[in-house]
Amino acid sequence: NQRSSTSPKLPPLTRDPPHLFQTMASTEGGSHQAGMDRRLSSAGDDVLNQRPSMKLNKSLSTTGMTGTKTKKKASGGGCCGFCKPKPPIEEVDAVCIGGGIMSATVGLMLKQLEPNWKVVMYERLGALAEESSNGWNNAGTGHSALCEPNYTPASGDTVDTSKAITVNENWQLSRQYWAYLANKGLLPEPSSFINNTPHCTFAYGEDQVDWLRKRYAALHKHPLFEGMEYSEDKATLQKWAPLMMEGRDPSDKVALSRCDVGTDCDFGALTRDLGKAFMNSGGNLLLFHTVTGLKKEADGRWLLTIKKNDLGAKTCQVRSRFVFVGAGGWALLLLQKSKIPEIKGFMGFPISGEFLVCQNPEVVDKHPNKVYGKAAIGAPPMSVPHLDKRIIGGKHMLLFGPFAGFSPRYLKTGSLLDLFKSIRLHNLIPAAAAGLQNLDLTVYL
């Protein structure tokens, strides 16, 4: 390659004498030929390639940029740095432990009610809603008792609707709060986390159909269940739930109740939106922080020990007037450390549930509902089968389950030792009694 012997002419940069400009250009480089050659072929004696040796010259600073020797700071105490004094305890008004739907809701409410409070939320993982609140880790049902059989047990010639009414009322309060937050601009368009999805209850066999008929009669006139429909007609059932009726024996005794006002909720998306609102309201969210200790002091305040899970790996302490533990499976172990009397006797069973997922649009379009059925006779309540229309991350899909699972972990990202760490003398007998009184569950697992 040959370089052109001519360079473009540039306007003079200074009014200095020409000989001065030429001297500077020849030593410092420039846009002319000689300067470019020097910059592209700097040797080891170039000032840019030289750095004084600090080993040979102890008078230099540790940066080597000045001739002033850097002064060492006095040690913080202790021997070889292992016995350094503890950092000061931070004082806050309230702490929310865990980054799920519960802590996000409570934290935001506290900031709305007490704007001047210092409220801190600690999450052990790198994002909110990574455990139970995640859209993939729950059924996403807006539980309002429109379709769930467990809320309406048989009672003589009718069904008991008291629990169903309470559950529905509480769900409406949640929806009102979210609507309020959306109107205040603290939540985005509600369709980003909640969508209208009809809720259906499925009955199979004469006994279940008779129960569903009584359930419909007891609920459909109540204002909270207005619009509920019931049918045993095969053509109507085919219209309501085509996927479930496809290929079914015409002689099967089946029935459905249906409510158009049901909802599907992506609690993961909602949690993240609530977390943003919490921070925008002045709350402090700290990720990669695990609360490892919780102790009540003599004056009624709480002393928390927090370990950072990032590269810093530091431990600090926080003192708070109020603590809300919304840590899912981590709550049991943490409350045991707090030594509150209410935790005595509690223990977690190694139960988990798994769902099959279908994302084939042709199949998903045939099932626009959430359909709950009754558990088989002798099966535990959590085995209630349901086929759910879901919207997670804006994508439509179907989930079917639950299928029984066994895991000693109390969190999906927990430890295999979680179950064994929770064993105490005070919860061994209650756990054994619960197993004996629920042998169907024991066999099921």
Side-chain angles (χ1 to χ4, degrees):
N1 293 330
Q2 295 181 349
R3 183 182 295 142
S4 172
S5 60
T6 60
S7 299
K9 295 183 179 181
L10 299 175
L13 299 178
T14 68
R15 295 184 180 273
D16 293 325
H19 63 86
L20 178 61
F21 177 75
Q22 292 172 359
T23 302
M24 293 175 61
S26 64
T27 57
E28 298 299 329
S31 59
H32 52 82
Q33 183 65 49
M36 292 178 66
D37 287 338
R38 176 170 175 75
R39 285 191 300 172
L40 294 174
S41 60
S42 59
D45 59 351
D46 192 294
V47 67
L48 296 177
N49 294 330
Q50 293 179 355
R51 180 179 175 88
S53 172
M54 284 176 284
K55 289 184 178 181
L56 300 178
N57 191 347
K58 300 297 184 181
S59 64
L60 289 175
S61 69
T62 54
T63 63
M65 300 299 292
T66 69
T68 304
K69 189 175 182 179
T70 303
K71 295 181 179 180
K72 293 185 178 180
K73 295 183 180 180
S75 174
C79 54
C80 301
F82 291 104
C83 303
K84 292 182 178 180
K86 293 182 178 180
I89 298 176
E90 182 183 1
E91 303 282 344
V92 301
D93 295 295
V95 166
C96 295
I97 304 175
I101 184 69
M102 297 301 297
S103 288
T105 300
V106 172
L108 179 55
M109 284 184 171
L110 287 175
K111 287 304 298 180
Q112 289 181 296
L113 296 172
E114 298 289 347
N116 296 325
W117 276 18
K118 188 174 183 179
V119 183
V120 185
M121 186 187 307
Y122 295 105
E123 166 56 40
R124 60 191 291 268
L125 301 178
L128 295 178
E130 288 298 292
E131 286 285 350
S132 299
S133 299
N134 190 281
W136 290 101
N137 297 337
N138 58 75
T141 302
H143 284 288
S144 49
L146 298 176
C147 63
E148 303 91 321
N150 290 345
Y151 296 140
T152 50
S155 178
D157 294 334
T158 183
V159 297
D160 183 359
T161 62
S162 57
K163 184 68 173 181
I165 293 172
T166 301
V167 169
N168 196 308
E169 288 174 344
N170 290 335
W171 176 248
Q172 302 310 325
L173 291 176
S174 296
R175 294 180 64 182
Q176 290 173 20
Y177 180 57
W178 299 334
Y180 161 79
L181 294 177
N183 290 334
K184 288 285 186 178
L186 292 173
L187 283 182
E189 170 62 34
S191 61
S192 64
F193 62 85
I194 188 170
N195 291 275
N196 177 244
T197 307
H199 285 194
C200 300
T201 307
F202 177 71
Y204 177 83
E206 189 62 46
D207 290 342
Q208 289 191 12
V209 170
D210 182 62
W211 165 84
L212 184 57
R213 196 182 297 120
K214 294 176 181 177
R215 182 181 188 273
Y216 167 74
L219 288 176
H220 80 283
K221 292 183 180 180
H222 193 282
L224 291 173
F225 299 87
E226 184 178 356
M228 178 181 283
E229 301 175 89
Y230 173 86
S231 180
E232 300 176 28
D233 178 66
K234 295 297 190 296
T236 302
L237 300 184
Q238 177 69 30
K239 179 181 177 181
W240 286 354
L243 186 62
M244 293 182 60
M245 295 300 114
E246 187 176 305
R248 184 175 293 275
D249 189 335
S251 64
D252 286 348
K253 186 68 175 179
V254 294
L256 279 172
S257 65
R258 186 173 187 266
C259 285
D260 284 333
V261 294
T263 53
D264 172 73
C265 186
D266 185 345
F267 289 101
L270 174 59
T271 300
R272 290 185 285 273
D273 290 334
L274 290 173
K276 293 176 183 177
F278 168 72
M279 291 185 285
N280 291 335
S281 300
N284 187 15
L285 169 63
L286 296 175
L287 303 175
F288 295 112
H289 282 66
T290 301
V291 179
T292 58
L294 181 59
K295 179 182 178 181
K296 192 171 186 179
E297 298 182 311
D299 61 359
R301 293 185 297 174
W302 294 90
L303 183 64
L304 297 89
T305 303
I306 298 106
K307 180 180 179 182
K308 295 180 67 176
N309 305 331
D310 59 10
L311 295 177
K314 295 182 179 179
T315 299
C316 63
Q317 289 188 311
V318 173
R319 181 176 286 116
S320 177
R321 292 193 291 156
F322 302 98
V323 175
F324 176 78
V325 182
W330 188 251
L332 176 62
L333 299 172
L334 198 56
L335 291 174
Q336 286 180 338
K337 292 182 179 181
S338 74
K339 293 182 169 38
I340 59 173
E342 292 83 357
I343 199 60
K344 289 186 177 180
F346 279 89
M347 184 176 174
F349 266 61
I351 303 171
S352 67
E354 298 178 346
F355 281 77
L356 295 177
V357 181
C358 175
Q359 301 186 49
N360 185 336
E362 295 182 2
V363 179
V364 174
D365 290 344
K366 295 180 180 180
H367 190 80
N369 320 297
K370 286 181 176 288
V371 180
Y372 277 60
K374 291 200 72 174
I377 296 177
M382 68 280 297
S383 64
V384 169
H386 42 112
L387 181 60
D388 294 325
K389 168 68 179 295
R390 296 297 316 277
I391 302 177
I392 303 176
K395 187 169 184 178
H396 295 243
M397 62 193 70
L398 297 181
L399 269 67
F400 176 68
F403 297 92
F406 177 93
S407 175
R409 290 186 175 95
Y410 287 162
L411 293 169
K412 292 191 72 173
T413 58
S415 168
L416 290 172
L417 299 177
D418 286 346
L419 173 63
F420 306 102
K421 288 180 180 178
S422 70
I423 297 176
R424 302 287 189 277
L425 289 176
H426 60 70
N427 62 21
L428 279 175
I429 294 178
L436 291 174
Q437 295 171 8
N438 295 273
L439 287 176
D440 54 348
L441 175 59
T442 305
V443 173
Y444 184 72
L445 291 174

